[in-house]
């Protein structure tokens, strides 16, 4: 019997007997893999840019991701389900904003859900969760939604003795990246150089549905810009040294790969990268 390719919209015979409808996890996991593949094709296939979600991450991970144009499936079904849960939270919050704006129609205020922004010079792009442009009060508000488990939530919002200031650092750099790209476009198109920029990270605790937000200082726009400049310099240097085939010796000049010790455990390029086996 023919194996059905979940990544192609074709009708073939199933590889298992019809009683497989009893396997709920397999049905769900197959759908989530397909959605992941479709999302890659719709958003990233054939687009040569760094992803804004890589802000603050290991430069080598971003390098491999930039070079790669093939879909790399996440083989961990639990991870895929957690991502799906996060997506459903995003959808609910975004729908709530859209409904509020449709009902109230605030004058001079525009809502944009998941607009795409890019900076051709930094070669970075991404989709922002929520963008609000208030022409009356001359204000630009951007919101990035993050679903978080208890451990991460406590590191950010828990008792002061348990907090880790760096827990939200990459998230702040990511929204700083959006802030940079938003202001770049809006100022260019609308002449809004005197608009106030407000950036919020909205955290949703998965275990209890508690929500808390932090306002990110505008200085993270500059920090994000500097981070992506350092990424471009890293990529240029590695290309000149290696031509794309990287060995551990090529990386000896860098003492911050990875940026965080845990990154390799969640990296799609761990098998390709020479670093994980040395940690």
């Amino acid at each position: 019997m023919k194996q059905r390719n979940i990544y192609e919209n074709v009708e073939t015979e199933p590889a298992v007997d019809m009683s497989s409808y009893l396997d709920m996890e397999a049905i769900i996991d197959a759908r989530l893999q397909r959605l992941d593949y479709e999302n890659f094709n719709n958003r990233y296939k054939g687009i040569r840019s760094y992803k804004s979600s890589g802000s603050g991450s290991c430069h080598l991970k971003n390098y491999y991701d930039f070079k790669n144009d093939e879909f790399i499936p996440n083989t961990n079904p639990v991870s895929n389900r957690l991502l799906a849960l996060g997506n459903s939270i995003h959808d609910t919050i975004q729908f709530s904003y859209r409904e509020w704006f449709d009902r109230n129609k605030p004058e001079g205020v525009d809502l944009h859900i998941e607009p795409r922004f890019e900076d051709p010079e930094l070669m970075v792009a991404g989709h922002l969760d929520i963008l609000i442009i208030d022409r009356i009060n001359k204000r630009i508000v951007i919101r990035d939604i993050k679903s978080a488990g208890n451990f991460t939530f406590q590191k950010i919002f828990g008792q002061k003795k348990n907090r880790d200031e760096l827990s939200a650092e990459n998230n702040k750099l990511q929204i700083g990246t959006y802030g940079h790209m938003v202001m770049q476009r809006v100022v260019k198109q609308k002449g809004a150089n005197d608009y106030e920029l407000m950036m919020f990270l909205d955290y949703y605790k998965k275990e209890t549905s508690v929500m808390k937000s932090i306002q990110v200082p505008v200085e993270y726009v500059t920090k994000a810009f500097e981070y992506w400049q350092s990424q471009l310099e890293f990529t240029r240097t590695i290309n000149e040294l290696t031509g794309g085939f990287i060995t551990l010796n090529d990386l000896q000049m860098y003492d911050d790969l990875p940026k965080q010790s845990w990154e390799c455990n969640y990296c799609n390029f761990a098998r390709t990268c020479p670093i994980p086996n040395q940690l």
Side-chain angles (χ1 to χ4, degrees):
M1 302 178 74
K2 295 181 180 179
Q3 173 70 46
R4 184 176 185 274
N5 186 342
I6 64 172
Y7 304 135
E8 295 178 359
N9 186 23
V10 295
E11 293 296 329
T12 58
E13 296 180 29
V16 292
D17 62 62
M18 291 305 294
S19 64
S20 61
Y21 64 75
L22 295 174
D23 191 343
M24 182 185 70
E25 290 188 5
I27 291 173
I28 293 172
D29 294 339
R31 178 176 186 272
L32 295 182
Q33 284 186 350
R34 185 183 183 91
L35 290 176
D36 193 23
Y37 178 74
E38 291 174 352
N39 180 65
F40 173 83
N41 273 347
N42 293 335
R43 289 195 170 189
Y44 306 115
K45 182 72 174 178
I47 298 176
R48 189 66 69 187
S49 64
Y50 297 106
K51 297 181 180 68
S52 56
S53 58
S55 300
S57 296
C58 170
H59 281 327
L60 193 53
K61 176 184 177 182
N62 285 333
Y63 174 89
Y64 283 128
D65 196 32
F66 180 87
K67 295 287 185 180
N68 178 64
D69 193 38
E70 298 298 326
F71 174 70
I72 301 177
N74 185 345
T75 57
N76 185 336
V78 174
S79 176
N80 278 335
R81 293 172 211 159
L82 287 172
L83 288 172
L85 176 61
N87 288 336
S88 68
I89 292 169
H90 276 68
D91 292 343
T92 298
I93 295 173
Q94 290 170 333
F95 180 84
S96 299
Y97 263 85
R98 186 180 286 111
E99 184 180 59
W100 188 93
F101 270 77
D102 289 343
R103 287 178 179 272
N104 294 280
K105 298 179 173 56
E107 183 179 355
V109 186
D110 301 321
L111 171 70
H112 304 271
I113 299 295
E114 292 203 0
R116 184 180 186 276
F117 287 91
E118 64 179 331
D119 183 331
E121 292 186 7
L122 293 179
M123 302 180 72
V124 62
H127 293 79
L128 174 58
D129 289 336
I130 295 172
L131 167 65
I132 300 171
I133 301 178
D134 183 345
R135 299 188 302 278
I136 304 301
N137 296 298
K138 293 187 174 182
R139 179 184 298 148
I140 294 174
V141 179
I142 61 179
R143 311 195 77 105
D144 199 30
I145 305 162
K146 302 294 183 186
S147 56
N150 181 66
F151 179 80
T152 299
F153 205 85
Q154 291 303 316
K155 287 290 185 181
I156 300 172
F157 300 107
Q159 296 181 7
K160 288 186 177 181
K161 64 179 181 179
N162 296 326
R163 293 183 188 180
D164 181 354
E165 292 295 325
L166 295 179
S167 291
E169 188 69 10
N170 285 9
N171 295 161
K172 292 177 181 178
L173 288 172
Q174 181 180 358
I175 201 170
T177 300
Y178 292 135
H180 163 73
M181 295 189 291
V182 167
M183 294 304 291
Q184 194 177 53
R185 183 194 295 181
V186 173
V187 168
K188 184 177 181 180
Q189 293 181 347
K190 301 180 183 295
N193 55 325
D194 59 341
Y195 276 40
E196 175 189 12
L197 174 64
M198 302 179 71
M199 304 186 295
F200 295 92
L201 290 170
D202 302 311
Y203 287 90
Y204 186 105
K205 188 177 179 182
K206 289 180 283 191
E207 291 86 351
T208 61
S209 294
V210 168
M211 297 183 66
K212 290 189 177 182
S213 301
I214 58 176
Q215 184 171 356
V216 178
V218 178
E219 67 191 53
Y220 272 89
V221 172
T222 301
K223 289 185 176 182
F225 178 79
E226 292 173 346
Y227 169 81
W228 288 111
Q229 281 188 317
S230 69
Q231 176 67 58
L232 288 178
E233 181 58 34
F234 173 86
T235 297
R236 279 193 291 265
T237 301
I238 291 298
N239 282 338
E240 291 172 0
L241 284 175
T242 69
F245 183 77
I246 304 171
T247 67
L248 196 61
N249 288 335
D250 299 320
L251 305 173
Q252 288 182 349
M253 70 182 78
Y254 300 101
D255 58 3
D256 60 347
L257 298 176
K259 295 287 185 183
Q260 304 287 335
S261 59
W262 50 261
E263 285 186 275
C264 295
N265 296 329
Y266 301 92
C267 180
N268 287 336
F269 306 99
R271 293 184 179 180
T272 303
C273 179
I275 292 179
N277 291 332
Q278 305 301 316
L279 295 178

